[in-house]
Structure formats: C-alpha cells, structure tokens
Amino acid sequence: MESTTSTMPGQHRPQAISATGLGIDMGGTQTRWALADEAGTILSEGAVDGATALQLGNLAGQVALQALFSSIAQQLQRATDLRHEIFSLQAGLTGYSGDATAAKQMLSSLFALPENAIHISNDIEIAYLDTFQPGEGYLVYAGTGSIAAFIDQAGNFHRAGGHGYVLDDAGSGYWIAREALKRIWREEDFHPGAWRSSPMATAMFALIGGEEWKHTREFIYQRSRGEVGKLALALGTTADMDRTAYTILENAGIELARLARALCHRFGQKPIALSGRVQELHPIIAETMKKHLHDTSDLRLCENLGHHSAARIAASRIPQGPERIAVRTEQINRT
C-alpha cells in the first residue's frame, strides 16, 4: 500500500523551488523517496512498494519497476503544490549489480532528466553514507536481506554476506520467516495440529491466511521476497511467549554479529552500526548481536534514512550556471 508524507513537520511550504535533488531508496519490502533542496533540506518524502534491481532482468520485472517509479512521480505531484524542478537523481537499489542502463532510461523518461543527471548504486552504499563517513565504521543492514558493508577512504565498497535469500541472507527478515516456517512444519510432521499451541505458528498462519500446508506453500513460493520477509513481524510479537520464536531471533543476532566480525577480521576494529527493520522486531536481536561481537567494537543502533541521504547526495550534484540551463532546456523539450 502506498503512503505519502508531504512537508516535514513544522516546516512551511515554500512557494517555489528553483532546483531540487530526488533520492530513491529501494528495498525488498519498501521503496522510499525524498526531495531535497540545494541546502540539503528535506522538502517532501513518501513510500511505495518494495522491489529489487534483479527485476530489470526480465520484461515482467521491468514493467513492475516502471509502475513503481511512476507511483513515485505521482506521489510527488500529490504530496505538494511546489513547482518541482528536479535537476539530479540518486537511486539506491537493492540487488543492483552495476548495469544501470534500463533503470536510467525509465527514470530519465519519467522525470524528464538527461541520463547523466541520474546516478544509481546499490541501496547499501546509500545506507552506509547515511551512517558513516568513508573509512569510519561498519554497517550491518538487516531488512528483507542482510549484509555488512564498509566503504574505505578511497571510496571502495567492501561487503560481507548479502548473497541473497537462496544462498544465505542469515539474520534477515526473509531468513527469520523461513526458519520459523521450517520449524513449524517439521513439528507438524511429527505432531499434526501442534501449531495450535504455538503463539508463533498461530500468528504466522494468521498473516499467511490459513493453517493448511497449501496456504504456506502458496505464500512462500508465489509471494514476493518482501512479502515473505514481513512474516518475521509475527516473531517479534510472540517472542516473549514462544521459546521457539525467541530462539530464532537470538540466532538472527548471532548471524548478524558474524557479518560484522568478518569485516573486523579483514579491516580491523571499527565502530559498528546496526540498521534496517529487523532490529525493530525485538530487543533480543541487538542484545545477542552485541554479546557475540565480543571485544571487537561498540555497537550502535541507527534508523536508516537512506532516502534522505540519497536526496542530499542528489542535491549536492545539482548543476550550476550553463549546465543547469542545459538540463532545464532538455526538461522543457521532453515535456
């Protein structure tokens, strides 16, 4: 479901904007956008459904991404009556592997921008720069997927994990949901109907829409990665009364600590930050993660506002002088 937020609380809506930067932070569960002016002030923001850059690899996925980007454009129009003049766009896309051609073409068409005004990276790079300066620390991000990231002082991106839900993504929302369903159905193999005495199973089946295997099968194999990841919410609400749920969340913390230790092993001890919605499921995740970091480094929890960071990065690239005139001329010609 789409949601929008117009101007930030307490801000007065200006009458006109000469130039803005648009930031997009695409995750498996949610895609957020924000608009920033040249001073870096966030003027407007909103959210649409999640997606992944992997969808660029097939026609159906490209159609879905086109619709998603179109939703952002529509929200921009609805959220404010500002006369938008977007001169730069920074997008961070989960699953992005370096080929930006198709995504740039979509964004260029929708926002009337030349492709050289559009910059695309993976979403974790944006999240990192929202948390640390290059070389400063390690970011462990756990949302639908999981990864640890480090950008060194030379700007090189290093990672641990982030191998996708088929191979790993341990500690992520998808992994948590999969672990829970695996344990539920293994117990059902020995004791049919055991789910009735499990708060975790009861909550998960309520989200899935039924307690029969056909309901789980349809959900896990036909729904999107982000939708499956949202099932992890059931563990957060039942962990204090279901030991199995609590243990799974403890194990998630152990796995996230492993990602951080991998980067500490390679690049030395540095501050560590945990970001992403998984940390919000239950305090035991961060507590267990910190315990299993041993003496490697401090752990701090941070809210991921990658769409704000992306918008400010875009705003910092707004061209000046003749270059701005050239971009504006192309916008007018396109529209």
Side-chain angles (χ1 to χ4, degrees):
M1 181 178 292
E2 296 182 5
S3 62
T4 63
T5 304
S6 56
T7 52
M8 301 295 289
Q11 288 183 327
H12 295 291
R13 192 187 295 268
Q15 295 302 309
I17 296 178
S18 58
T20 61
L22 175 63
I24 297 174
D25 178 28
M26 177 190 289
T29 303
Q30 188 180 53
T31 299
R32 298 177 297 175
W33 61 265
L35 196 69
D37 64 15
E38 292 181 273
T41 302
I42 301 301
L43 303 167
S44 187
E45 61 183 300
V48 296
D49 291 336
T52 169
L54 298 175
Q55 293 173 248
L56 291 167
N58 60 77
L59 182 57
Q62 291 177 16
V63 170
L65 287 177
Q66 177 76 28
L68 185 147
F69 292 143
S70 295
S71 295
I72 293 175
Q74 292 166 9
Q75 284 192 0
L76 271 167
Q77 293 177 347
R78 294 199 302 265
T80 174
D81 58 6
L82 297 173
R83 182 178 175 227
H84 291 299
E85 293 182 7
I86 298 171
F87 281 79
S88 179
L89 190 156
Q90 172 69 56
L93 312 180
T94 189
Y96 175 68
S97 60
D99 184 3
T101 304
K104 278 191 173 185
Q105 289 174 348
M106 292 180 193
L107 294 167
S108 173
S109 175
L110 280 168
F111 296 99
L113 283 171
E115 291 188 19
N116 61 10
I118 298 170
H119 300 267
I120 297 179
S121 65
N122 69 59
D123 60 329
I124 303 305
E125 291 182 58
I126 300 298
Y128 182 94
L129 294 173
D130 188 50
T131 309
F132 293 118
Q133 294 296 315
E136 184 181 4
Y138 305 124
L139 174 68
V140 177
Y141 186 89
T144 305
S146 63
I147 190 172
F150 174 54
I151 297 178
D152 63 27
Q153 291 183 327
N156 300 310
F157 179 82
H158 307 274
R159 63 191 290 163
H163 300 131
Y165 70 96
V166 174
L167 289 181
D168 200 346
D169 269 1
S172 70
Y174 187 99
W175 179 89
I176 289 169
R178 186 184 63 200
E179 287 295 299
L181 289 171
K182 180 174 71 177
R183 294 190 184 212
I184 290 168
W185 283 107
R186 284 186 174 186
E187 183 65 18
E188 287 297 302
D189 286 340
F190 279 90
H191 306 289
W195 68 269
R196 293 185 176 86
S197 61
S198 165
M200 177 185 74
T202 301
M204 292 197 78
F205 285 158
L207 291 175
I208 288 171
E211 73 280 1
E212 297 181 32
W213 165 240
K214 65 180 182 181
H215 298 121
T216 297
R217 180 184 61 203
E218 178 182 353
F219 197 99
I220 199 78
Y221 292 113
Q222 296 186 19
R223 298 294 186 92
S224 70
R225 190 171 58 103
E227 289 177 293
V228 173
K230 288 180 181 178
L231 293 177
L233 296 170
L235 278 79
T237 61
T238 62
D240 290 330
M241 49 187 163
D242 192 309
R243 183 61 199 177
T244 300
Y246 193 88
T247 299
I248 291 172
L249 296 182
E250 281 186 311
N251 290 340
I254 293 171
E255 292 291 349
L256 297 177
R258 179 185 60 82
L259 294 176
R261 292 201 312 272
L263 291 180
C264 288
H265 175 76
R266 288 156 58 188
F267 302 105
Q269 296 182 10
K270 298 180 185 295
I272 297 169
L274 174 63
S275 184
R277 297 183 70 184
V278 161
Q279 65 170 305
E280 301 171 7
L281 296 178
H282 195 281
I284 190 58
I285 294 175
E287 291 170 10
T288 305
M289 180 179 174
K290 187 170 184 178
K291 185 187 304 182
H292 283 79
L293 289 174
H294 306 302
D295 296 327
T296 54
S297 203
D298 293 329
L299 174 68
R300 65 183 172 96
L301 307 182
C302 59
E303 182 183 7
N304 174 36
L305 295 176
H307 57 316
H308 288 191
S309 181
R312 293 189 177 107
I313 291 171
S316 72
R317 296 195 180 110
I318 292 174
Q320 303 298 320
E323 292 182 6
R324 179 180 295 193
I325 294 173
V327 173
R328 185 58 182 152
T329 299
E330 181 164 342
Q331 289 175 323
I332 294 171
N333 291 338
R334 284 172 179 246
T335 56

